[in-house]
Amino acid sequence: HVGIALGERATEAARRAADLVVTDGSIEAIGRVVLEGRGLWRSTRDAAALLVGGNLGEIGFTVITALLDGQSPLNTRQLLLTNLLTDVAPALTIAARPPQHHDASLLERQRPDAGVGAALERDIRRRGAVTALTAWVARGLARQRGSTAPDTVGLASLVGSQLAQMALADRSDRTTILAALGSYAGLVAVLRQPALAAAFGCGPLQTTDLVQASLTAALGALAAGARAGPSGREPLRL
């Protein structure tokens, strides 16, 4: 429940008691504010689902592989590198992107709490499971074909899957896509330079390894779904 005072002609008592003062007296501004607020909330929700789901995927990949093989596929430096590439530029662009006013009809139908609770938890679990499974499959395939650095292939697929999911979260936002591509290019630059790769405890990554990691990451991102935010059924009423 929000008290609103319209225009400069509103009484002093009304302006002091109101939670929101519309200075130009335009009631249409209230609708624009509601849409902008819902757009910002959806961006924050998407960023939370991607970040938490991706981190759960990292934990799942590490734990499952350690239980099956008796050793962790990722060291501390590699986990820090993963978080640096996935939790900074791409995630920030999603959380801070401007509201998508071209999708106003969806925002009008979408309740503010439509994407939280059980819906958000399902999205996080799905993204976490897909991210972990993608990296685990990429690592297993690399081992089967005799790669000299299967753990590094798993790392590349783990990071690539998260970045691809972020890029697909809003394909109309060029900034997010460029941030995801730039982060993945930074990962490739690290893994293709022997000195940098060795500094992070990574093995030599061949072209075949990189192609396999990129393909599995793309497939994993498509499996996770381009967007998870469910829309509510109740229309916006002013």
Side-chain angles (χ1 to χ4, degrees):
H1 296 75
V2 179
I4 301 175
L6 288 176
E8 296 180 352
R9 295 184 179 181
T11 64
E12 183 65 21
R15 287 197 297 270
R16 288 181 176 274
D19 301 292
L20 176 67
V21 178
V22 182
T23 56
D24 62 0
S26 172
I27 195 171
E28 291 82 3
I30 301 175
R32 294 193 298 270
V33 168
V34 171
L35 291 179
E36 182 172 355
R38 291 189 177 184
L40 290 172
W41 173 243
R42 188 171 66 176
S43 296
T44 304
R45 182 192 61 207
D46 289 346
L50 290 163
L51 286 175
V52 179
N55 289 334
L56 285 179
E58 296 169 18
I59 296 173
F61 170 62
T62 304
V63 172
I64 292 174
T65 305
L67 290 175
L68 294 177
D69 294 352
Q71 60 181 5
S72 174
L74 302 177
N75 59 35
T76 304
R77 287 166 293 172
Q78 291 168 351
L79 286 173
L80 290 174
L81 176 63
T82 300
N83 291 328
L84 176 65
L85 293 172
T86 59
D87 294 357
V88 181
L92 286 177
T93 58
I94 292 176
R97 68 190 175 190
Q100 304 298 311
H101 290 297
H102 65 270
D103 201 12
S105 61
L106 174 61
L107 293 176
E108 288 175 357
R109 298 192 305 270
Q110 189 175 54
R111 293 172 55 89
D113 59 349
V116 298
L120 180 59
E121 292 177 2
R122 286 194 301 270
D123 188 19
I124 291 174
R125 287 196 297 267
R126 181 176 67 252
R127 294 188 182 279
V130 169
T131 300
L133 184 61
T134 298
W136 184 74
V137 169
R139 179 179 181 271
L141 292 175
R143 294 182 66 180
Q144 286 185 357
R145 61 179 178 78
S147 172
T148 59
D151 290 344
T152 304
V153 175
L155 169 65
S157 183
L158 182 71
V159 175
S161 177
Q162 295 182 65
L163 293 176
Q165 291 179 55
M166 292 177 180
L168 289 175
D170 190 355
R171 286 166 287 183
S172 63
D173 186 4
R174 182 178 299 178
T175 304
T176 302
I177 296 175
L178 292 177
L181 291 175
S183 295
Y184 193 67
L187 173 67
V188 173
V190 169
L191 298 181
R192 296 285 285 181
Q193 292 292 330
L196 289 176
F200 285 98
C202 299
L205 197 65
Q206 305 299 323
T207 302
T208 305
D209 297 326
L210 181 60
V211 171
Q212 178 192 318
S214 301
L215 288 177
T216 53
L219 292 176
L222 291 175
R227 181 181 293 278
S231 60
R233 295 179 178 272
E234 182 177 339
L236 174 65
R237 301 184 183 279
L238 294 177

